[in-house]
């Protein structure tokens, strides 16, 4: 029987952050028993995707998320209930015991979870057909764009995606994100796995940290978290 077993991933962040990779099997059917934990609303959402691959990405990550949350909470996967806050960020409906975040792109998904702090995660697939300069003004600080331009051509795309995933993970951790746009976060140049916020740090990023994580070839990924833990 087909099953969805996420792969635990090592990372350089706090030990209370749990991170998994979900590997997609695109010839799987949504009628498979592995997708039984999905709610009716989730099945409807999956069915609204035009492409089977997109439906499978959503459904696979949601099942894997349900399974991990259920193990921590000590309940059945189908019993996990979700709701969303005013900014449409999902969270548990019946408990504040855990924060979580997900991302998916190409053949992989990521899940981050912590009982101690807010988390954010992002993964992106490098597309050779993508012109990073077409959205540089919306995603990069001018100094970052200039730094990328000085790299060898074959390194430029990976550097752009490194910046993109770091900024997305940071913004997803806040739950609100910076209102001025991603271009007002500066994370390049990159000189280690630690994401260094350079120049002036936006107020809503003062208590957020991040690390780039190992990703399959042709992908970039990052996990972020609040340095301040939950008040209990």
């Amino acid at each position: 029987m087909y099953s969805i077993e996420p792969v635990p991933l090592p990372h350089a962040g706090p030990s209370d952050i749990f991170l998994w990779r979900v590997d997609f099997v695109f010839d799987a059917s949504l009628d498979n028993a592995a997708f039984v934990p999905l709610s009716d609303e989730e099945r409807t959402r999956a069915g609204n995707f035009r492409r089977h691959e997109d439906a499978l990405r959503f459904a696979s990550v949601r099942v894997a998320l349900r399974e991990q949350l259920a193990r921590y909470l000590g309940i059945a996967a189908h019993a996990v209930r979700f709701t969303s806050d005013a900014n449409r960020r999902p969270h548990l409906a019946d408990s504040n015991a855990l924060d979580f975040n997900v991302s998916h792109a190409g053949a992989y998904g990521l899940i981050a979870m912590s009982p101690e702090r807010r988390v954010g995660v992002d993964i992106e697939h490098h597309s050779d057909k993508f012109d990073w300069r077409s959205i540089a003004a919306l995603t990069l600080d001018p100094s970052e764009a200039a730094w990328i331009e000085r790299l060898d051509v074959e390194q430029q795309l990976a550097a752009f995606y490194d910046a993109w995933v770091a900024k997305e993970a940071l913004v997803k951790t806040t739950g609100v994100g910076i209102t001025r746009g991603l271009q007002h976060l500066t994370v390049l140049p990159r000189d280690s796995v630690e994401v260094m916020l350079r120049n002036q740090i936006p107020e809503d990023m003062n208590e957020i940290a991040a690390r780039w994580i190992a990703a399959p070839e042709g992908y970039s990924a990052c996990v972020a978290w609040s340095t301040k833990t939950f008040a209990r």
Side-chain angles (χ1 to χ4, degrees), residues 11-17 99 112 114 117-121 169-170 172-174 193-195 205-213 222-229:
H11 61 85
S15 60
D16 57 81
I17 297 175
D99 190 61
S114 175
R117 67 192 76 234
R118 291 177 72 96
V119 290
V121 71
L170 286 162
K172 291 169 74 176
T173 302
T174 68
V193 298
E194 181 180 3
V195 178
M205 294 291 165
N206 282 333
E207 296 179 334
I208 305 292
R211 299 288 186 275
W212 283 286
I213 58 176
C222 187
V223 60
W225 59 89
S226 59
T227 56
K228 184 178 181 180
T229 57

Side-chain angles (χ1 to χ4, degrees), residues 127-140 144-157 160-161 164:
S127 173
D128 294 336
K129 299 178 181 179
F130 175 64
D131 178 11
W132 65 268
R133 295 177 183 85
S134 66
I135 62 169
L138 298 176
T139 55
L140 300 175
E144 293 177 310
W147 182 79
I148 293 177
E149 290 283 9
R150 292 193 293 270
L151 298 176
D152 293 338
V153 173
E154 61 269 19
Q155 297 176 314
Q156 290 180 354
L157 193 62
F160 171 82
Y161 278 109
W164 189 349

Side-chain angles (χ1 to χ4, degrees), residues 79-147:
V80 176
R81 295 178 60 247
F82 299 103
T83 188
S84 298
D85 62 20
N87 297 296
R88 303 184 67 182
R89 189 180 192 272
H91 59 88
L92 290 170
D94 303 317
S95 172
N96 61 357
L98 291 166
D99 190 61
F100 59 87
N101 197 241
V102 304
S103 178
H104 51 75
Y108 302 98
L110 289 179
I111 298 172
M113 188 174 83
S114 175
E116 298 294 332
R117 67 192 76 234
R118 291 177 72 96
V119 290
V121 71
D122 196 56
I123 184 170
E124 298 293 341
H125 181 215
H126 302 180
S127 173
D128 294 336
K129 299 178 181 179
F130 175 64
D131 178 11
W132 65 268
R133 295 177 183 85
S134 66
I135 62 169
L138 298 176
T139 55
L140 300 175
D141 178 87
S143 67
E144 293 177 310
W147 182 79

